[in-house]
Structure formats: structure tokens, C-alpha cells
């Protein structure tokens, strides 16, 4: 069974540009989560999508946004990039909305903002 | 609100020695607890999880953790360290009822001394 996949692996942008990151969940999983792992800041929750709807978001500005498609894949958009947006962005998927289900992580996209 | 504290950002043990990584949590509801491992330049891999039931949880690669409600702890152990265990380890607590995000500790980097 294929795991969570993310693309691209690496992304280099300049300040002010927009970045789009993509995630494909494990087959059958309906929930997708996005996390940011920035140096010195640890792993922070960004966004949660389930059944095409945004269910929750972390403490990030509105220039971080995303969506979930009918096939449950998801993309994360970061507008007006700032230097501090440089981080590893991790996507995770799970099967159930509530309960004890586990989030399985992809390999991440390394975003570098110059 | 939920939180996780990992004591010791760096832990070094000799090959063959006991591995003990500490995690304490704070949760207003019965917690769902997880340990993930991250190898360099990779995503997170699930080691083990506690939801309900047996408080001693066995995971992959010989790791186990014990949920102790009275101590609000979920420490990770392995009887005999192997060189391949060198990685960063994250403890996490999951919310529920519309707040299913993972809240992570700051991580513990495990070094194995030959």
C-alpha cells in the first residue's frame, strides 16, 4: 500500500512569491493535515481538511491557505512568502475524523525562501 | 488545551544500553498519545500509540512505552540500543471532538555511542 506522498521534494522561492505544495493521502483516507517544521520552532499544526472542508487551522496568518480535492488530495498555498516561511512542510493523512485514528506522515517538502 | 513536554533535547547512550526518552503530557480529556521517529531529511514514522486499554504499549523496532496516568507520563524505552536508533524522537498528544490535531513535544535527538 502506498504511503502519503508529497511534491515537490524541494522548493526554492524568493520573498514575495507564492508557493504551492501538494499532498496525496493514503488510499481510503479522507483527512489531511499540514504541519510546519521550522528550525527552532518545532512541529506546528497548520491546517486540517476532511471531506473537502477545512475543519481547523493553527495559529498562522491567512496567507497560509489550502484546499482538499474530491479525490482527497490536498494542496497548501503560501502567499507573499517571507524568509521565516523556510521550513519542512509535512502532510499527514488519517482515516477517521474522530476517535483514535493515527496520522501517517509523508516525507515532506523542504521550502527555502531567499 | 493540550501540551507535551519532552525532557532532554539530546540523549546519548552506548550501543547495547537502555534507551529512555521522557515525555510528560497535559490534557483535559483522556489523552491519545503517540511517539514518532524522524530520520535525517525524512518525514515522521509512527513508533507506537496509546489510545485506551493496556497501558504498556509495544511498537516497532523493539520500542515500548508505558502510559502512567498518575504521573501524566508516556516514556519511551528500548532495552538495548542499536546504531540504527540514532534519530530524533517526538512525543505527541492528539485532541478530539473537532480538534484532532497533534500537539508535539520539542523532540529528543538520540545519539548512539559505538
Amino acid at each position: 500500500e502506498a504511503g502519503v506522498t508529497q511534491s515537490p521534494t524541494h522548493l526554492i522561492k524568493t520573498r514575495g512569491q507564492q508557493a504551492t505544495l501538494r499532498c496525496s493521502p493514503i488510499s481510503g483516507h479522507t483527512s489531511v493535515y499540514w504541519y510546519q517544521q521550522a528550525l527552532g520552532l518545532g512541529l506546528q499544526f497548520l491546517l486540517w481538511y476532511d471531506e473537502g472542508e477545512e475543519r481547523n487551522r493553527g495559529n498562522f496568518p491567512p496567507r497560509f491557505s489550502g484546499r482538499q480535492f474530491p479525490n482527497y488530495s490536498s494542496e497548501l498555498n503560501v502567499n507573499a512568502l517571507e524568509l521565516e516561511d523556510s521550513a519542512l512542510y509535512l502532510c499527514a493523512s488519517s482515516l477517521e475524523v474522530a476517535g483514535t485514528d493515527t496520522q501517517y506522515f509523508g516525507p515532506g517538502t523542504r521550502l527555502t525562501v531567499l | 488545551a493540550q501540551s507535551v513536554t519532552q525532557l532532554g533535547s539530546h540523549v546519548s547512550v552506548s550501543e547495547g544500553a537502555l534507551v529512555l526518552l521522557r515525555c510528560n503530557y497535559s490534557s483535559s480529556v483522556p489523552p491519545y498519545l503517540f511517539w514518532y521517529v524522524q530520520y535525517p531529511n525524512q518525514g515522521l514514522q509512527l513508533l507506537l500509540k496509546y489510545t485506551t486499554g493496556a497501558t504498556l504499549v509495544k511498537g516497532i523496532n523493539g520500542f515500548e512505552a508505558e502510559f502512567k496516568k498518575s504521573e501524566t507520563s508516556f516514556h519511551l524505552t528500548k532495552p538495548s540500543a542499536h546504531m540504527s536508533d540514532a534519530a530524533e524522537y517526538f512525543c505527541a498528544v492528539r485532541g478530539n471532538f473537532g480538534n484532532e490535531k497533534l500537539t508535539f513535544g520539542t523532540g529528543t535527538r538520540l545519539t548512539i555511542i559505538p
Side-chain angles (χ1 to χ4, degrees):
Chain A
E1 180 183 283
V4 177
T5 59
Q6 293 185 244
S7 63
T9 303
H10 294 90
L11 190 57
I12 300 175
K13 295 285 186 178
T14 56
R15 247 171 43 178
Q17 285 188 314
Q18 179 197 41
T20 298
L21 290 63
R22 295 180 176 84
C23 172
S24 292
I26 292 171
S27 178
H29 285 191
T30 60
S31 277
V32 169
Y33 302 79
W34 288 94
Y35 294 86
Q36 182 197 63
Q37 187 176 27
L39 201 61
L41 295 178
L43 280 152
Q44 297 186 77
F45 167 72
L46 259 169
L47 289 160
W48 169 30
Y49 291 96
D50 181 72
E51 297 285 359
E53 301 279 335
E54 182 181 301
R55 301 294 186 184
N56 201 354
R57 66 179 291 129
N59 188 25
F60 283 84
R63 57 191 186 82
F64 286 84
S65 65
R67 54 181 171 165
Q68 187 177 33
F69 299 98
N71 67 353
Y72 303 114
S73 68
S74 175
E75 69 179 28
L76 172 69
N77 295 294
V78 188
N79 294 318
L81 284 165
E82 300 179 1
L83 296 178
E84 53 264 35
D85 297 334
S86 294
L88 181 67
Y89 288 84
L90 293 167
C91 170
S93 75
S94 70
L95 179 58
E96 299 174 66
V97 173
T100 64
D101 198 57
T102 301
Q103 294 178 26
Y104 296 92
F105 284 79
T109 292
R110 173 78 60 188
L111 173 62
T112 302
V113 182
L114 303 176
Chain B
Q2 298 171 301
S3 65
V4 170
T5 301
Q6 289 185 242
L7 298 175
S9 58
H10 290 87
V11 170
S12 296
V13 302
S14 297
E15 191 175 13
L18 171 72
V19 175
L20 171 60
L21 304 182
R22 300 177 187 275
C23 172
N24 288 88
Y25 70 89
S26 172
S27 176
S28 56
V29 296
Y32 302 145
L33 295 160
F34 302 80
W35 275 99
Y36 286 89
V37 61
Q38 186 176 34
Y39 298 100
N41 299 313
Q42 294 187 25
L44 301 177
Q45 180 182 7
L46 177 70
L47 276 176
L48 49 78
K49 65 179 180 181
Y50 170 79
T51 54
T52 58
T55 56
L56 182 62
V57 180
K58 295 187 184 299
I60 62 170
N61 302 337
F63 285 94
E64 62 182 35
E66 186 170 11
F67 170 66
K68 292 187 176 180
K69 185 178 178 180
S70 61
E71 299 177 8
T72 61
S73 69
F74 190 56
H75 302 331
L76 182 71
T77 60
K78 181 174 181 178
S80 177
H82 192 272
M83 295 300 294
S84 61
D85 295 327
E88 188 146 23
Y89 292 79
F90 293 93
C91 182
V93 60
R94 174 188 161 128
N96 51 23
F97 305 116
N99 189 29
E100 274 76 355
K101 68 178 183 180
L102 289 171
T103 299
F104 288 90
T106 50
T108 298
R109 183 166 300 278
L110 177 65
T111 300
I112 310 298
I113 304 166

